[in-house]
Amino acid sequence: MTRVLVVEDDPRLVRALLINLQARHYDVGAAPDGATALRLAA
């Protein structure tokens, strides 16, 4: 399964992206900022 990391600070946009990507069978993670994204990606 392909993993996608969404980095966005707008919760409504993150929710929409998560729903749509998960519906297409992606493994999705989300981070509200760059520092968190780097930590999740490591």
Side-chain angles (χ1 to χ4, degrees), residues 3-17:
R3 181 151 172 81
V4 176
L5 178 57
V6 174
V7 184
E8 175 59 55
D9 63 348
D10 181 350
R12 294 181 303 157
L13 182 54
V14 170
R15 180 168 164 71
L17 288 168

Side-chain angles (χ1 to χ4, degrees), residues 20-37:
N20 281 289
L21 289 168
Q22 289 171 342
R24 288 161 178 76
H25 305 288
Y26 287 97
D27 181 17
V28 184
D33 56 47
T36 304

